[in-house]
Amino acid sequence: MELLLRVGAVMAAFLVLPLVIGQAEHKVMAHMQGRVGPMYAGAFHGWAQLVADGVKFVQKEDITPREADRTVFRLAPIVALFPYLIVILTLPLGPNLVAQSLDIGLFLVLAVLGIGVVAVLMSAWASANKYSLLGGVRGAAQLLGYELPLVLAAASVAMAAGTLSLPGIVEAWRPWWLIWQAPAALVFFIAGLAEIRRPPFDMPIADSELVFGYMTEYTGLRFAFFLLAEYVGIVVIAGLTTVLFLGGWHGPFAEQLGWLWTLLKVAALSFVIIWFRVTYPRLREDQLQRLCWLILVPVSLAQLVLTVAVKSLL
């Protein structure tokens, strides 16, 4: 019964939280950019916009290109969603409030997140479309590049905590880490945005150049699954940043309200991710790779050296 409750809770979070983030993105962008449309559906503050989007996707015809590899083409959206479900299973919401606590939880999370590149390449190659293929190649280069600073930044905080367990990292966290591990937190957050291909790191999609990149040939619910994967990715990156660098459930009355502190921190970081989409223009491919290899990787390596030095002195 306990296992069923945990699985049910994870599935509910997996399905509900991305929809909340999607609705929030509509409203935040509407306010920041003066958009009337998202504030109109349903009259009161556009509450029915998300429902209208869902109905639209359900009504659209599900088309598979004639020259496509049908099996791979249809599996790609599912593969895009699968890694995030595994990650949510391991994210601690509060003290003793995690679906599956693992001693190597961070190792598993970083390994599973790397599967995202497989979904991009599957959809790109199977679509039999040159724009999709270009988007897939861009996506592969981006994901493989930003995987390195992401892992190095996570290794820094794991070394500081002395454990790979996500609940263990939260237990070991101290407020002064907000300063000491700040460079690693910034690198992890930026690399995480690139991993989920959110603006300004959306070169694999680049609608002004590649129609819609590796998602060009997708319609209906399969396209909606890719969008759902993007919103789940926002929850996952915000959740991992919260757990690794912001103390997770730490806050006043943590024993009783720890889960609330975690959710509030995740919501704040999700807002920042949406804010980035509205604020910054898309990076060019050369700018994107230069940011990774000339800034994020050196900073993450320097943070590792600093962590080793501090740990050896304590």
Side-chain angles (χ1 to χ4, degrees), residues 71-137:
T71 303
V72 177
F73 183 85
R74 292 170 178 173
L75 281 177
I78 299 174
V79 176
L81 281 168
F82 176 74
Y84 300 129
L85 178 60
I86 301 298
V87 174
I88 291 177
L89 277 170
T90 64
L91 284 179
L93 193 60
N96 303 316
L97 195 59
V98 56
Q100 185 60 56
S101 180
L102 299 172
D103 292 337
I104 57 169
L106 181 59
F107 179 82
L108 175 68
V109 163
L110 294 177
V112 168
L113 283 178
I115 298 176
V117 67
V118 177
V120 172
L121 290 175
M122 286 173 64
S123 60
W125 182 259
S127 294
N129 180 298
K130 63 180 180 181
Y131 297 111
S132 298
L133 184 59
L134 285 172
V137 172

Side-chain angles (χ1 to χ4, degrees), residues 152 156 159 180-181 298-312:
L152 291 175
S156 174
M159 188 182 300
W180 175 36
Q181 294 293 324
V299 169
S300 58
L301 287 173
Q303 177 66 52
L304 271 179
V305 174
L306 174 63
T307 301
V308 171
V310 173
K311 288 293 289 183
S312 62

Side-chain angles (χ1 to χ4, degrees), residues 46-95:
W47 66 268
Q49 181 64 50
L50 192 64
V51 178
D53 287 341
V55 172
K56 177 186 69 175
F57 285 125
V58 171
Q59 288 181 333
K60 285 182 176 292
E61 184 179 0
D62 183 16
I63 298 174
T64 302
R66 182 175 55 192
E67 301 298 326
D69 185 326
R70 292 178 176 269
T71 303
V72 177
F73 183 85
R74 292 170 178 173
L75 281 177
I78 299 174
V79 176
L81 281 168
F82 176 74
Y84 300 129
L85 178 60
I86 301 298
V87 174
I88 291 177
L89 277 170
T90 64
L91 284 179
L93 193 60

Side-chain angles (χ1 to χ4, degrees), residues 46-270:
W47 66 268
Q49 181 64 50
L50 192 64
V51 178
D53 287 341
V55 172
K56 177 186 69 175
F57 285 125
V58 171
Q59 288 181 333
K60 285 182 176 292
E61 184 179 0
D62 183 16
I63 298 174
T64 302
R66 182 175 55 192
E67 301 298 326
D69 185 326
R70 292 178 176 269
T71 303
V72 177
F73 183 85
R74 292 170 178 173
L75 281 177
I78 299 174
V79 176
L81 281 168
F82 176 74
Y84 300 129
L85 178 60
I86 301 298
V87 174
I88 291 177
L89 277 170
T90 64
L91 284 179
L93 193 60
N96 303 316
L97 195 59
V98 56
Q100 185 60 56
S101 180
L102 299 172
D103 292 337
I104 57 169
L106 181 59
F107 179 82
L108 175 68
V109 163
L110 294 177
V112 168
L113 283 178
I115 298 176
V117 67
V118 177
V120 172
L121 290 175
M122 286 173 64
S123 60
W125 182 259
S127 294
N129 180 298
K130 63 180 180 181
Y131 297 111
S132 298
L133 184 59
L134 285 172
V137 172
R138 284 185 178 184
Q142 176 174 320
L143 297 180
L144 292 176
Y146 279 86
E147 191 77 17
L148 180 58
L150 185 81
V151 171
L152 291 175
S156 174
V157 73
M159 188 182 300
T163 178
L164 290 173
S165 167
L166 293 180
I169 292 174
V170 179
E171 290 287 354
W173 183 87
R174 296 295 180 267
W176 66 282
W177 286 20
L178 291 172
I179 299 174
W180 175 36
Q181 294 293 324
L186 189 60
V187 168
F188 185 89
F189 188 65
I190 293 174
L193 291 183
E195 284 284 308
I196 61 175
R197 301 169 295 283
R198 285 284 300 182
F201 304 99
D202 56 338
M203 281 303 294
I205 296 173
D207 50 313
S208 60
E209 303 171 24
L210 303 178
V211 187
F212 218 63
Y214 60 92
M215 293 188 284
T216 297
E217 297 292 351
Y218 284 89
T219 59
L221 286 178
R222 298 187 196 279
F223 182 77
F225 285 160
F226 271 117
L227 291 185
L228 182 64
E230 179 180 328
Y231 289 130
V232 180
I234 293 176
V235 175
V236 165
I237 294 303
L240 285 174
T241 306
T242 295
V243 168
L244 296 177
F245 299 101
L246 299 183
W249 61 74
H250 285 286
F253 307 104
E255 290 295 328
Q256 297 80 22
L257 300 177
W259 60 272
L260 180 60
W261 287 114
T262 301
L263 290 178
L264 287 176
K265 293 172 185 178
V266 170
L269 288 175
S270 300

Side-chain angles (χ1 to χ4, degrees), residues 262-283:
T262 301
L263 290 178
L264 287 176
K265 293 172 185 178
V266 170
L269 288 175
S270 300
F271 172 78
V272 172
I273 293 174
I274 297 171
W275 191 1
F276 275 14
R277 175 175 181 174
V278 177
T279 306
Y280 293 101
R282 179 184 299 124
L283 296 177

